Amino acid sequence: MHPVIDVQGAVKQYGSGDAAIFALDGVDLRIDSGEYVAIMGPSGSGKSTLMNIMGALDNMTAGKYFLDGIEIDTLDENALAVVRGRKIGFIFQSFNLIARTTALANVELPLAYQGIKGKERRARAMAALKVVGLEDRVSHEPTELSGGQQQRVAVARALSTRPALLLADEPTGALDSKSTHDLLDLFDQINAAGRTVVVITHEDDVAARAKRIVRMRDGKIISDTVNKK
Amino acid sequence: MSIFEIIRFAIRGLNSNKLRTTLTTMGIAIGVSSVIILLAFGNGSSKAVQAGIEKLGTNTITIQSNRGGFGGGRASASRSVSSKPLTVGDAVALSDPTTAPDIKQAAPVASANTTCTFGTNSSTPGTFNGTWPAWFEASNTSVSKGTYFTNDDVTEGRRVAVIGNTIVTDLFTGVNPIGQVMRCGGIPFTVIGITEKKGSNGFQDGDSLVVAPLTAVQRSLTGYNNLQSIVVQAKSAKVQDLAQTEINTIMDAQHKVKNVNNRDYRTLNQASLLATTSSSSSVLTVLLGMIAGISLLVGGIGITNIMLVTVVERTREIGIRKAIGAPKRAIMTQFLIEATILSLVGGLLGVVGGLIGSNFKIVGVQPIIIPSSVFLAFGVSVFIGLFFGSYPASRAASLRPIEALRYE
Ligand SMILES: Nc1ncnc2c1ncn2[C@@H]1O[C@H](COP(=O)(O)OP(=O)(O)OP(=O)(O)O)[C@@H](O)[C@H]1O
Ligand SMILES: [Mg+2]
């Protein structure tokens, strides 16, 4: 069986000449189905850059990326949209909810783009919001929600399509310890259901839940260890 | 994803950004209505000019000599026949009630090109006519202050003058002009009357006018053989055609015209004058075009501005939608529908606003709507709205999600 994620020699360069920055400087990473991986490293080490590439949101300067055995670079716009919508649930560091749109509508959005209609869509969105404990806030708009609540809406949106791969860029950054704990329980549950989870984090107790910890520095992976609980 | 779903998204998008929606719609509406109103205003003033020309004199016929350069191609042909200038005798003959029963009166006109002075002030009248008292009625000119000159003044060749308001303001500020002596071409004329304000017809200031007895003007300024025209007044507008026939009969006899296709005089009636002025009013047409162009530009810039202001926010939103799996086509369709709704609603509001706004007089001019301007304004604004509503969206939809999310 091929890995869910197979990044080979990924290079991401910003700028050129003397001003060139290598956000990724030759990264190889394989993640198998059902793994729970935490990516750690100092600020600016390239974690988000790697995550965006794995989420098919950004391209690489050099290298190859296979998702579920499909080389992402070869896909056209429509195929990419399908991959983003069905295979991946992406949780952004900065939430990225659609402004002036209710929590429910935000969570329904990826389902709508998959052509899921009416009752089923609403039910699945409601279920996802219930999972993150926001069933009483469904008609609130992002500005009417706290940072933690917005993050949970973003999580619900990522979960609503039941993706096989959940990518989360510092999902607990804006949460208190109770919410963090709840969210991590949720990730455990998702992973236990057989889905692959990749989380970027600065916090050791978040990383502690993962089964594998990848450490980055200056655009390179400096260590890749199994987490001994 | 079904088209209905996308339409619902578009409506929800418009609904959730009420300020932007309002501003954009208003931008388009203001653009459209200002074009319609400005053009209606331009059109209204041009119509007002025509009405002004009509007011200058109805049921009058002007006879001009066909000698000289006036007749264009006909001038050279007429040189081969013996051509006579217009004479006072012609005017007398035209005034005969037995041979010309439909002519009320006729007045010969000699025009001088001269400058009038009073003290240190000077003014060059657009029209300086030596004529008979009959001219006033025939040319629809009345004296509001002072008196007309009389037939007696003409017989005696008295140097008296009736002047228009422009001459009054040019020469006689702070002085009552009546009884003052001004000098025109060095010749003293006593002001005896002031004509009622006529205003401008767009080409000529109707108030830059000096009228004096024919004899006095001929003796001192123009000489005796240089009648500019004879102004004939028909008894009514109804008998204008009969009067025209009588003029031709009398003038043909006076001028011994053998071939009616080769007369040495020609007649201009109000209808033909109107025709000439409207054809030569290309100035106004160009002006109208310029107004249209500028107001479309202004409206277009307004719409463009409002559309562009929202590009950053929209681009980010598109980034989010793409990141969660929106196909490019769905995004494009949604934003195109949004732009269409905005443009159509704004355009229609603008048309309504333009139609309402054109009911009000602006500086005394009643705007008259040009139907094609409605379509032009609507079309251009809707096009701009569509373009600037969908172009940034189509660009954003082609970006990688991360690029769109970082856009600023
Ligand atoms: N659009 C960009 N243009 C130029 N440089 C960029 C851009 N995006 C990221 N970088 C650079 O790439 C490097 C890696 O950035 P990245 O966002 O991946 O860091 P990170 O590990 O996620 O940091 P943090 O923990 O603070 O989120 C940084 O040095 C950053 O300055
Ligand atoms: Mg980051």
Side-chain angles (χ1 to χ4, degrees), chain B residues 140-154:
Chain B
N140 224 8
T141 307
S142 54
V143 167
S144 60
K145 241 192 257 170
T147 59
Y148 298 90
F149 57 79
T150 61
N151 284 322
D152 201 33
D153 291 328
V154 177

Side-chain angles (χ1 to χ4, degrees), chain B residues 17-142:
Chain B
N17 295 280
K18 289 202 178 62
L19 181 66
R20 191 194 68 218
T21 305
T22 316
L23 283 179
T24 317
T25 316
M26 266 174 51
I28 295 172
I30 289 170
V32 171
S33 57
S34 64
V35 170
I36 294 175
I37 293 174
L38 280 174
L39 280 176
F41 177 64
N43 187 34
S45 21
S46 119
K47 289 269 158 63
V49 167
Q50 299 235 333
I53 293 170
E54 275 162 38
K55 218 167 47 189
L56 286 180
T58 46
N59 56 359
T60 60
I61 298 165
T62 305
I63 305 168
Q64 289 183 336
S65 175
N66 233 355
R67 312 183 330 139
F70 280 105
R74 278 197 273 162
S76 54
S78 63
R79 222 166 268 146
S80 55
V81 296
S82 63
S83 60
K84 267 181 69 188
L86 299 175
T87 62
V88 174
D90 296 338
V92 173
L94 290 166
S95 309
D96 184 340
T98 50
T99 51
D102 295 302
I103 291 174
K104 190 172 184 192
Q105 49 193 354
V109 178
S111 289
N113 262 327
T114 185
T115 301
C116 298
T117 58
F118 179 74
T120 54
N121 300 335
S122 80
S123 177
T124 305
T127 310
F128 190 120
N129 283 345
T131 185
W132 292 351
W135 178 86
F136 287 98
E137 197 194 332
S139 67
N140 224 8
T141 307
S142 54

Side-chain angles (χ1 to χ4, degrees), chain A residues 12 14 52 56-59 77-78 81-82 84-85 90 92 96-101 105-106 108-110 112-118 121 157, chain B residues 1-2 5 8-9 12 16-18 20 313 317 319-331 334 397-403 405-406:
Chain A
K12 180 73 181 177
Y14 289 112
N52 293 336
L57 305 178
D58 205 355
N59 62 356
E77 274 284 337
N78 282 332
V82 170
R84 289 174 191 136
F90 202 102
F92 291 93
N96 281 335
L97 299 177
I98 291 181
R100 293 179 288 271
T101 304
N106 262 291
E108 278 189 37
L109 206 53
Y113 283 125
Q114 287 184 28
I116 297 165
K117 292 202 181 67
R121 183 166 89 199
R157 185 177 65 185
Chain B
M1 226 186 147
S2 75
E5 190 84 64
R8 207 173 311 147
F9 274 19
R12 190 182 292 168
S16 66
N17 295 280
K18 289 202 178 62
R20 191 194 68 218
E313 192 191 314
E317 183 185 328
I320 298 175
R321 287 176 185 273
K322 285 196 79 171
I324 59 174
K328 188 174 168 183
R329 187 172 22 85
I331 294 176
Q334 175 191 342
S398 308
L399 294 175
R400 272 169 277 132
I402 282 296
E403 280 177 319
L405 283 169
R406 284 206 194 106

Side-chain angles (χ1 to χ4, degrees), chain A residues 123-150:
Chain A
R124 281 174 67 172
M126 286 299 290
L129 280 164
K130 193 165 184 181
V131 166
V132 297
L134 279 180
E135 64 268 39
D136 56 341
R137 291 280 190 284
V138 289
S139 50
H140 285 57
E141 293 176 6
T143 49
E144 299 162 349
L145 295 169
S146 73
Q149 288 169 333
Q150 289 181 56

